[in-house]
Amino acid sequence: MSQLVKVLRARPSIFGRRYLATASSATPSSSKFRQTLDNGPGLDDFISGEVPDRIVLGNTNSPRLPSYLKTSIPSGESFNKIKKDLRGLGLHTVCEEARCPNIGDCWGGGKSIEGRNTATATIMLMGDTCTRGCRFCSVKTSRTPLPLDPHEPENTAEAISRWGLGYIVLTSVDRDDLADGGAHHFAETIRKIKQKAPHILVEALTGDFAGSLEHVSLLAKSGLDVYAHNVETVEELTPFVRDRRATFRQSLRVLEHAKKEGVQITKTSIMLGVGENSDQILATLKGTAFHFKSSLSTIVDHSGVELRAVNVDVVTFGQYMRPTKRHMKVDRYVEPAEFDKWKKVAEDLGFLYVASGPLVRSSYKAGEFYIENVLRKKQSSSIPPLESELTQTDSSREQIV
């Protein structure tokens, strides 16, 4: 012991000196920050009562969130019940994964005039992890997601039958890792729902199945009532907004083929505020009218008569809201008046129903009520409804929205 003490006393430099892992000199950023603090208001400024200029924190170059896009924190008995059912059965929702601002409104629900439960959630099938990485979407991504849950179709049908709904929306992550993109799993879920609750109308918001029309047919013939697939944005911005494997024209082919397979109503959605301009929106709508809205005849006229073949019935417009700082920035916040303008433009082009507003999403509850009423009328009558019966007055549409 005494030997060790002698050694330590003989070499004091080892223990008497401080060794730093990093350089002790201040970095340029820390020096700049210290200088800002030194030049800022001190204690005397506050005591004197003279208020200095307001200090604004954060990024002042980004557009501020308008008041009409702010929503209340979700809560309530219905909200908690739906959340409990989903957790108990191991189900996922796009409401949570995509951070939808309307979750409180949809899950909170209530009762309609007919006494029907209006609370609903958009079930997201095939897990919570997508194989694609769209720049606007907050859903988790991976090249190798977990295998499909074979009990999910049954569990989903069980949960939906408990809620006493008249209309439900199913969606899914993209599963490019599967040979069929998950089409059989999706179709089986729809069949299970129809077996347990035949009265429920089912909307399926699908991916593009990598352009496989065979898999689109499988979904279209599964018993669904509404086939939805979102083009998301104008064609010019598609490469910058969506995953590189998704294209505008491929989405049009999916919608066109679904209608050809006998689907009653097809539907798509467009986000605003990602960098598009009015000319591009108008061109997209004319394109959607050109491709989507059918007429009594399909005549190709080289003098400029439009070919209306794809026949999409419903279009929705909503504000893009950046989910996290890792996603693409909001280019601008679109005013409600502009949404009203595009609603009127689309209605004038002949769409069956248009939902347009800052908080409108592709799975929009008010729009679902309208679509449900149209489908119920079709089911109750063997005579095809007239165009005048399908296109209600603007006042009745406004009551729904």
Side-chain angles (χ1 to χ4, degrees):
M1 187 59 154
S2 60
Q3 296 280 346
L4 178 60
V5 171
K6 290 180 180 179
V7 171
L8 293 177
R9 286 177 178 174
R11 303 186 64 185
S13 60
I14 297 177
F15 300 95
R17 184 180 303 170
R18 291 182 62 192
Y19 291 91
L20 299 178
T22 58
S24 59
S25 60
T27 62
S29 59
S30 63
S31 299
K32 184 178 180 181
F33 179 69
R34 187 178 293 109
Q35 184 180 1
T36 302
L37 290 178
D38 293 339
N39 296 333
L43 179 61
D44 294 337
D45 296 314
F46 291 99
I47 295 175
S48 66
E50 297 178 2
V51 182
D53 294 337
R54 182 181 178 187
I55 299 176
V56 180
L57 302 177
N59 184 5
T60 58
N61 296 325
S62 299
R64 301 283 295 178
L65 185 70
S67 59
Y68 53 80
L69 285 173
K70 297 178 181 179
T71 57
S72 58
I73 298 174
S75 62
E77 181 181 350
S78 178
F79 177 89
N80 293 329
K81 180 182 182 301
I82 289 180
K83 189 170 185 177
K84 183 178 179 181
D85 286 345
L86 293 168
R87 294 294 175 273
L89 294 170
L91 302 176
H92 304 280
T93 68
V94 72
C95 318
E96 295 174 293
E97 301 298 333
R99 307 185 183 192
C100 179
N102 299 322
I103 187 170
D105 182 35
C106 293
W107 289 27
K111 296 291 182 181
S112 66
I113 298 175
E114 300 84 4
R116 187 192 66 198
N117 183 17
T118 61
T120 186
T122 301
I123 303 293
M124 190 167 71
L125 303 175
M126 298 189 275
D128 63 351
T129 306
C130 186
T131 54
R132 297 190 183 181
C134 295
R135 294 159 185 83
F136 63 89
C137 183
S138 64
V139 175
K140 293 183 292 185
T141 61
S142 173
R143 293 180 181 176
T144 55
L146 294 174
L148 297 181
D149 177 5
H151 302 293
E152 187 177 51
E154 181 69 29
N155 289 341
T156 302
E158 177 64 26
I160 291 171
S161 63
R162 289 179 190 174
W163 297 341
L165 303 171
Y167 192 104
I168 189 69
V169 181
L170 302 177
T171 188
S172 74
V173 291
D174 281 295
R175 293 297 300 261
D176 297 297
D177 59 313
L178 303 175
D180 67 343
H184 287 85
H185 187 89
F186 207 138
E188 178 63 18
T189 304
I190 296 171
R191 284 191 286 268
K192 290 284 186 182
I193 294 172
K194 290 294 186 177
Q195 288 171 9
K196 284 184 174 289
H199 67 282
I200 294 181
L201 298 175
V202 178
E203 174 182 326
L205 174 57
T206 78
D208 58 17
F209 299 110
S212 171
L213 299 184
E214 177 186 353
H215 297 141
V216 174
S217 297
L218 182 65
L219 258 294
K221 296 177 179 179
S222 64
L224 57 77
D225 300 283
V226 178
Y227 195 113
H229 174 69
N230 294 339
V231 296
E232 305 294 3
T233 186
V234 299
E235 185 170 12
E236 292 85 349
L237 295 180
T238 295
F240 309 102
V241 174
R242 302 172 70 186
D243 185 274
R244 59 180 176 78
R245 287 163 285 189
T247 68
F248 187 84
R249 293 295 158 186
Q250 184 165 277
S251 292
L252 292 186
R253 287 193 291 271
V254 168
L255 291 162
E256 178 184 22
H257 193 72
K259 180 62 76 170
K260 286 180 178 179
E261 291 295 326
V263 173
Q264 295 186 65
I265 291 181
T266 48
K267 176 182 173 183
T268 196
S269 182
I270 301 171
M271 296 182 297
L272 301 184
V274 298
E276 72 291 328
N277 58 46
S278 296
D279 291 337
Q280 291 171 340
I281 300 172
L282 186 59
T284 300
L285 283 179
K286 286 185 175 180
T288 54
F290 176 84
H291 290 284
F292 294 175
K293 187 61 183 172
S294 69
S295 65
L296 296 177
S297 60
T298 54
I299 301 174
V300 177
D301 187 339
H302 294 288
S303 64
V305 174
E306 294 177 343
L307 171 66
R308 298 172 178 174
V310 181
N311 193 26
V312 161
D313 305 286
V314 178
V315 62
T316 68
F317 297 91
Q319 170 69 52
Y320 165 63
M321 296 176 68
R322 189 184 190 187
T324 72
K325 291 183 178 180
R326 295 182 292 105
H327 293 83
M328 68 178 189
K329 296 180 180 179
V330 176
D331 178 72
R332 68 188 178 104
Y333 289 112
V334 181
E335 293 292 329
E338 186 173 343
F339 280 105
D340 293 339
K341 165 193 162 185
W342 293 118
K343 173 180 172 65
K344 187 177 186 309
V345 169
E347 286 177 347
D348 291 343
L349 289 173
F351 286 97
L352 173 65
Y353 177 76
V354 182
S356 182
L359 290 174
V360 168
R361 295 296 178 263
S362 56
S363 302
Y364 188 57
K365 192 166 63 174
E368 291 160 17
F369 292 161
Y370 178 83
I371 296 169
E372 179 180 355
N373 291 333
V374 171
L375 287 172
R376 298 290 183 203
K377 288 180 181 179
K378 284 187 176 183
Q379 291 177 353
S380 63
S381 176
S382 59
I383 302 175
L386 298 174
E387 183 69 19
S388 59
E389 294 175 347
L390 294 180
T391 54
Q392 295 184 351
T393 62
D394 290 341
S395 60
S396 64
R397 283 174 172 168
E398 291 297 334
Q399 291 174 2
I400 296 168
V401 176

